[in-house]
Amino acid sequence: MSRLTRKITGSDLILFNVTFDMAILVCGATGFIGSHFCVLALQQGLDLLLLDNLENSSPKVLNAIREVTGISPRFVEVDIRDKSSLDAVFATNQVDSVVHFAGYKAVGESAAEPLRYYRNNVDGSLNLLESMKEHGVRKLVFSSSATVYGVPEFNPYTEEHRKRPFNPYGQTKSVVEDMMYDLCASDPQYALVALRYFNPIGAHPSGMLGEDPKGIPNNLMPFITKVAVGQLAELGVFGDDYDTVDGTGVRDYIHVMDLAYGHIRALQYLNSNAGYQAINLGAGRGYSVLELVSAFERINGVSIPYVIKPRRDGDLAAYWADASKAERLLGWKTQLGIDEMVRDAWAWQSANPNGYN
Ligand SMILES: NC(=O)c1ccc[n+]([C@@H]2O[C@H](COP(=O)([O-])OP(=O)(O)OC[C@H]3O[C@@H](n4cnc5c(N)ncnc54)[C@H](O)[C@@H]3O)[C@@H](O)[C@H]2O)c1
């Protein structure tokens, strides 16, 4: 189906040549992960239609994609909560498969505003699955999350780990996975893959695309880069008394370009395999908060002042992925390490202190 190998300009990844021919609708295309997927997929010659409501991303992302790839992406500004607009997209464009990144992603916000999260993440996905069904599209790659697992009953998490999310965000991901499972059970022609991401960080190595959170970042890496660039005074480290290598929380970080490539492999997989699969995308190892900080300082020569704060409610001590199913089914594993993650995150933030603005 695919053959090794070709090095794509501006990427450190060894990629397989793509030999499948599909028109792909990308929902949430201008967000952090979606934009990196689009760059890689366009560079691999895939036919994409980008869709986003721009609620949590900038139209300038489209310029960045164009500059990096030399390709002007086709784009529609549509909200997936608006079923009739979504239907019009399917009615007027060739769509063979969908990659679905669109949704809200902040755990804390989901606890404060659960209905908003259910409406967007669940209802939006239901609209999408219905539009797909009505237009005969049966292939989907969905952005799920390791959050679906909840408190680890064992570590690393395998896909067989029980799903027990303990926040509304994780619940919304789990519900969409269940809808996908039920749909596949109802019709053997469906091919639906839920990719359970661990902690995506880093940026495109060109420094032209990256993560651009609005306001104070929720996630660790954008917080570190905002401190590095002088916009925040210091990093708050929540808890240094966990049972881990240095007492700080341990997570499985994955370079966003590796993650993007996992979607291309998933599309190849569902081109020839029907049914439902949930697949972890992670590095298969963990780093502590302080290990990430010291890698950032070592590689980039920038110091990150930090202060230890009390543990946050709901934070877990340590978890990472068993990533063997992705290797077995998709022929995918991470190629980029912590040094590339911190290097590329800083290349983006230092070149664009105010993100896309
Ligand atoms: N970033 C992470 O750490 C992480 C981890 C696990 C899973 N995920 C999931 O991956 C997906 C992408 O995450 P991201 O980090 O790129 O987030 P992001 O917010 O940068 O991107 C999501 C994009 O979807 C768009 N969007 C949101 N609601 C929409 C709607 N109703 N209609 C159309 N567009 C809509 C936003 O404008 C944004 O461009 C999300 O579903 C998220 O839950 C992210």
Side-chain angles (χ1 to χ4, degrees):
M1 183 174 56
S2 60
R3 57 190 190 277
L4 205 58
T5 126
R6 170 163 71 108
K7 202 148 188 183
I8 297 287
T9 320
S11 162
D12 293 328
L13 298 172
I14 306 292
L15 305 169
F16 288 81
N17 277 344
V18 168
T19 53
F20 60 90
D21 188 18
M22 276 183 188
I24 302 163
L25 175 66
V26 187
C27 299
T30 47
F32 170 45
I33 303 167
S35 58
H36 290 78
F37 165 77
C38 287
V39 164
L40 210 55
L42 288 168
Q43 286 178 322
Q44 292 236 287
L46 297 179
D47 174 16
L48 305 187
L49 174 61
L50 283 59
L51 178 153
D52 205 292
N53 67 354
L54 299 175
E55 184 176 343
N56 198 38
S57 53
S58 163
K60 291 183 182 155
V61 171
L62 297 168
N63 301 334
I65 293 173
R66 188 176 308 119
E67 277 186 54
V68 174
T69 63
I71 298 166
S72 285
R74 294 188 297 137
F75 175 72
V76 286
E77 187 174 343
V78 166
D79 191 313
I80 61 167
R81 285 164 292 195
D82 176 357
K83 175 76 166 49
S84 56
S85 299
L86 203 49
D87 283 338
V89 171
F90 281 91
T92 53
N93 294 278
Q94 168 75 29
V95 179
D96 302 315
S97 58
V98 177
V99 184
H100 176 27
F101 299 99
Y104 298 146
K105 61 171 179 177
V107 168
E109 191 181 64
S110 78
E113 300 177 77
L115 296 181
R116 215 176 123 241
Y117 270 66
Y118 280 97
R119 175 67 72 194
N120 200 27
N121 292 7
V122 176
D123 207 27
S125 300
L126 184 55
N127 280 343
L128 183 59
L129 290 167
E130 282 180 344
S131 283
M132 286 172 59
K133 184 176 166 61
E134 285 153 21
H135 294 87
V137 181
R138 293 192 179 82
K139 296 184 173 76
L140 171 82
V141 178
F142 170 61
S143 300
S144 189
S145 165
T147 319
V148 297
Y149 293 122
V151 178
E153 291 164 10
F154 52 84
N155 189 46
Y157 293 120
T158 65
E159 290 81 357
E160 283 70 44
H161 188 286
R162 234 185 330 165
K163 289 203 294 175
R164 284 204 307 178
F166 54 80
N167 53 60
Y169 167 69
Q171 290 282 10
T172 65
K173 293 292 177 189
S174 182
V175 170
V176 175
E177 285 193 0
D178 293 346
M179 293 197 295
M180 292 165 63
Y181 177 90
D182 290 340
L183 205 46
C184 286
S186 75
D187 178 347
Q189 290 191 65
Y190 273 100
L192 308 178
V193 172
L195 296 177
R196 294 178 178 160
Y197 310 160
F198 281 68
N199 292 69
I201 60 172
H204 191 269
S206 64
M208 294 168 71
L209 288 134
E211 190 168 8
D212 185 19
K214 296 200 165 102
I216 305 277
N218 285 306
N219 294 336
L220 178 58
M221 182 51 88
F223 210 110
I224 291 175
T225 57
K226 293 275 181 199
V227 171
V229 86
Q231 290 175 0
L232 296 170
E234 61 193 10
L235 170 70
V237 176
F238 299 102
D240 67 348
D241 55 355
Y242 289 109
D243 183 17
T244 61
V245 58
D246 53 23
T248 64
V250 168
R251 298 288 177 271
D252 182 330
Y253 296 100
I254 170 171
H255 196 295
V256 66
M257 295 304 293
D258 264 327
L259 186 67
Y261 189 45
H263 293 71
I264 292 178
R265 301 298 296 175
L267 283 164
Q268 283 185 300
Y269 173 83
L270 53 74
N271 208 22
S272 46
N273 295 277
Y276 172 76
Q277 293 289 350
I279 304 176
N280 289 340
L281 290 188
R285 65 153 295 174
Y287 286 97
S288 75
V289 175
L290 293 185
E291 284 175 329
L292 191 65
V293 168
S294 84
F296 189 94
E297 294 181 325
R298 173 172 55 80
I299 294 291
N300 298 319
V302 185
S303 95
I304 306 295
Y306 67 86
V307 56
I308 302 293
K309 297 191 171 175
R311 291 181 180 194
R312 282 183 306 199
D313 278 354
D315 274 355
L316 301 170
Y319 65 83
W320 55 91
D322 178 323
S324 57
K325 185 173 178 184
E327 189 166 2
R328 205 169 60 250
L329 260 52
L330 309 182
W332 173 96
K333 63 179 179 183
T334 56
Q335 300 179 42
L336 306 173
I338 197 82
D339 291 1
E340 288 90 3
M341 296 184 215
V342 297
R343 177 199 70 189
D344 295 340
W346 182 230
W348 154 251
Q349 188 76 76
S350 54
N352 305 276
N354 298 311
Y356 289 103
N357 296 309

